[in-house]
Amino acid sequence: MSDILLRAEDIHANYGDFQAVQGASFEIRKGEIISIIGTNGAGKSTLMKAIGGTLTPKSGKVFYKDQEITGMPTHKLVDLGMSQVPEGGRVFARMTVMDNLVMGSYTPRARKNKDNALERVYELFPVLKEKANQVSGSLSGGQRQMVAIGRALMSEPELVCFDEISLGLAPTVIKDIYQKIRQINKEGMTIILVEQDVKRSLKTSDRSYVMLKGKVVLSGKSSELADEDVKKAYFGL
Amino acid sequence: MSIILEVDNIHVAYGRTKIIPGLSFNVEEGQVLGVIGPNGAGKTTLMNALIGLVIPTEGKIIFDGMDITKLPPDKRCHLGLGRTYQIPRPFEGMTVYENVLVGATHGAGRSEHKARPYCTEVLKRTGLYEKRDTLAGQLTLLDRKRLEIARALGTNPKILLLDEVAAGLTDAEVHDVMDLVAELKKTGITIIWIEHVIKTMVESTDKLLCLATGCLLRYGDPKETMNCMEVQEVYLGVEEE
């Protein structure tokens, strides 16, 4: 088996005839962090939905560990080892922190290991252990984001997609969360970062893809992408 | 050139959340003004304040010499402020022609008799005349966007506000929209255009205004606006230590 964990080939994805993704390809190897960057409306989140099972691509193919997963429903993808932290966290606001986390280990594979996974999440975010019995809706934005990350990790994934994790959070909180992302990557997790914060995601990721109007217009090693080229691709100028 | 719209220190909030904490700028008659800014910059809120869907808590909006700050949307429409919506919602069971007629009668306050020739002209101008008898629900996205513009034009606006008309279109279709805007500009109408596609904005506007957290970051020549360090930073983020 190749070391490519996920491969998306020429994805087109629409909302009705609104063409949000107009031919985008990328791949991610085991252990990598890649970032997918672009302005609002570039099609980043739609691309994530198209590979994550919440939106079936109009055309194109997605492979996970060489198995085609195009259009596979999200819960099956979670069982295969692919998990998501959606934009805005989207925690179950009326449920406690612990119940939210436990929801993440709903699949049969993860359920067996629930207690260990919970311990790991509490180690990563000690504040969640302190607030385990508090309803999630009463948490700060940053803490809710931690719950969302913890919930994704509870399914014991190999690959986690983070959608706009820094949106609306205070800079110090963002720094904190990014440090945790690096940490879980060092522990072996493969990570996709979808971001508007270009500088931060370039700094964090191994490779980057820049999207513009539904297409990938630039890609390469994050450390080797020239500022000018990124700017040009990002703004399309 | 004369000033057709004056935004004077407006403050806009939704409940306790302040979206625009004091914003001022002028729009010259006959110009195409582009409005850009990252998520949450206040672009849509500005649009809503201009059109009357939300009333500023402070400040004034002067349109064509008249204070419209507190006027409801229908009154503003009669005075000559027309807008399009990001997601076109035409009357799908009505024809293209009938859709424009609604704008021209109810929106502009014309009698149907007087509105008819005007509708025909608008349909020709927006490239929809051949499809005038097609049901709006059967149009492609590009044509629905054209119809969105045609409906707004039906109200005979002096200022046309465009909200993301290029979103979801292919490159070729975006060019069609850009051509249409250029044609409309020739008729002397003033256009305020919100769009995320920066390239389109730079190529199609006379002036570009960049908003960030509800404040004016830069307003001027489109290329100069995009070359501005602060504008690039709100999009790309700031280099950390």
Side-chain angles (χ1 to χ4, degrees):
Chain A
M1 202 174 75
S2 68
D3 66 343
I4 290 173
L5 196 58
L6 183 103
R7 193 167 81 242
E9 284 176 2
D10 197 26
I11 302 296
H12 288 72
N14 291 12
Y15 302 106
D17 51 8
F18 185 104
Q19 302 167 79
V21 177
Q22 305 178 14
S25 305
F26 73 91
E27 60 186 35
I28 182 162
R29 296 182 195 95
K30 219 170 166 0
E32 263 191 326
I33 301 184
I34 63 162
S35 61
I36 295 177
I37 52 192
T39 51
N40 25 7
K44 310 180 296 293
S45 295
T46 308
L47 180 60
M48 283 307 106
K49 283 182 194 161
I51 63 160
T54 43
L55 181 73
T56 304
K58 195 182 106 196
S59 64
K61 283 182 176 171
V62 191
F63 297 91
Y64 185 76
K65 290 181 177 175
D66 293 334
Q67 177 191 351
E68 187 174 349
I69 57 161
T70 321
M72 194 181 272
T74 309
H75 67 276
K76 287 205 174 137
L77 295 176
V78 172
D79 210 21
L80 282 178
M82 197 173 141
S83 185
Q84 296 181 52
V85 180
E87 188 177 335
R90 310 280 295 271
V91 298
F92 301 105
R94 290 192 198 173
M95 285 165 63
T96 64
V97 168
M98 187 160 75
D99 286 344
N100 262 283
L101 294 174
V102 170
M103 284 301 285
S105 56
Y106 197 79
T107 63
R109 179 175 62 86
R111 206 174 304 176
K112 283 178 246 157
N113 243 333
K114 191 187 75 188
D115 295 340
N116 282 338
L118 196 58
E119 251 345 280
R120 242 186 92 207
V121 170
Y122 285 156
E123 259 171 47
L124 190 65
F125 299 115
V127 67
L128 297 188
K129 190 169 187 177
E130 286 165 35
K131 304 201 178 243
N133 296 313
Q134 205 167 311
V135 287
S136 301
S138 66
L139 301 179
S140 71
Q143 289 164 350
R144 276 204 302 271
Q145 198 61 272
M146 291 175 200
V147 173
I149 296 172
R151 186 181 56 190
L153 296 178
M154 289 294 290
S155 67
E156 306 209 294
E158 279 180 89
L159 170 68
V160 186
C161 314
F162 294 89
D163 196 358
E164 304 277 8
I165 195 130
S166 59
L167 206 65
L169 297 184
T172 52
V173 179
I174 297 172
K175 217 171 157 180
D176 238 33
I177 285 186
Y178 262 83
Q179 193 243 321
K180 302 289 183 187
I181 291 176
R182 281 190 212 103
Q183 188 183 331
I184 54 177
N185 172 251
K186 281 206 183 91
E187 290 165 9
M189 193 81 66
T190 309
I191 286 166
I192 300 179
L193 291 174
V194 171
E195 264 293 358
Q196 282 194 55
D197 190 333
V198 177
K199 293 262 160 73
R200 196 182 302 275
S201 42
L202 282 176
K203 220 168 118 185
T204 310
S205 59
D206 301 306
R207 289 185 307 113
S208 292
Y209 293 83
V210 183
M211 284 187 80
L212 181 73
K213 282 220 80 240
K215 293 179 190 131
V216 172
V217 288
L218 179 72
S219 64
K221 274 195 176 162
S222 304
S223 57
E224 289 172 4
L225 289 174
D227 269 8
E228 271 314 302
D229 291 343
V230 171
K231 241 186 245 175
K232 259 191 182 160
Y234 189 88
F235 292 121
L237 294 173
Chain B
M1 230 180 247
S2 61
I3 303 295
I4 190 161
L5 186 76
E6 204 180 326
V7 175
D8 182 12
N9 192 31
I10 57 165
H11 294 239
V12 187
Y14 296 120
R16 261 185 273 170
T17 316
K18 257 204 166 159
I19 308 292
I20 297 178
L23 174 66
S24 305
F25 64 92
N26 291 337
V27 184
E28 284 172 27
E29 194 172 0
Q31 284 208 322
V32 179
L33 165 67
V35 180
I36 59 164
N39 262 351
K43 302 180 294 294
T44 301
T45 302
L46 170 62
M47 185 74 107
N48 288 342
L50 293 180
I51 215 73
L53 288 176
V54 55
I55 305 294
T57 52
E58 282 176 57
K60 276 183 184 168
I61 301 170
I62 313 287
F63 170 57
D64 219 5
M66 187 178 177
D67 186 345
I68 60 161
T69 319
K70 295 195 163 75
L71 284 188
D74 58 319
K75 294 256 163 54
R76 296 190 199 203
C77 184
H78 280 284
L79 287 172
L81 269 171
R83 84 166 281 183
T84 69
Y85 283 85
Q86 198 175 333
I87 299 166
R89 295 236 165 77
F91 300 110
E92 299 197 341
M94 285 162 65
T95 65
V96 167
Y97 183 86
E98 287 163 346
N99 265 279
V100 180
L101 191 61
V102 172
T105 51
H106 296 271
R110 286 194 188 86
S111 70
E112 198 177 318
H113 175 70
K114 281 191 178 153
R116 284 186 178 276
Y118 184 70
C119 288
T120 304
E121 191 195 318
V122 165
L123 287 169
K124 282 183 178 160
R125 217 188 291 160
T126 49
L128 285 172
Y129 187 68
E130 302 299 321
K131 292 173 184 155
R132 63 190 179 280
D133 294 325
T134 306
L135 290 180
Q138 290 168 357
L139 294 178
T140 63
L141 182 63
L142 176 61
D143 282 338
R144 286 211 305 281
K145 299 239 180 188
R146 287 181 191 277
L147 177 56
E148 190 69 14
I149 294 175
R151 279 209 297 181
L153 287 176
T155 67
N156 195 20
K158 291 178 185 149
I159 297 183
L160 176 64
L161 298 114
L162 304 176
D163 193 358
E164 291 202 39
V165 282
L169 299 177
T170 63
D171 291 345
E173 291 169 337
V174 171
H175 275 102
D176 285 351
V177 171
M178 288 163 73
D179 289 346
L180 175 56
V181 170
E183 283 302 313
L184 294 179
K185 181 183 149 73
K186 286 184 196 159
T187 66
I189 194 171
T190 307
I191 293 172
I192 301 177
W193 186 358
I194 293 181
E195 194 70 70
H196 290 313
V197 190
I198 308 277
K199 188 166 188 270
T200 305
M201 288 285 92
V202 170
E203 287 172 8
S204 300
T205 62
D206 298 308
K207 278 190 173 175
L208 196 54
L209 186 157
C210 180
L211 286 178
T213 57
C215 300
L216 194 147
L217 204 59
R218 185 89 181 191
Y219 181 22
D221 174 78
K223 285 207 178 80
E224 280 170 24
T225 298
M226 287 320 296
N227 284 332
C228 166
M229 204 59 202
E230 286 164 304
V231 170
Q232 294 188 0
E233 277 176 358
V234 296
Y235 276 101
L236 299 170
V238 184
E239 198 85 62
E240 277 179 26
E241 74 294 334

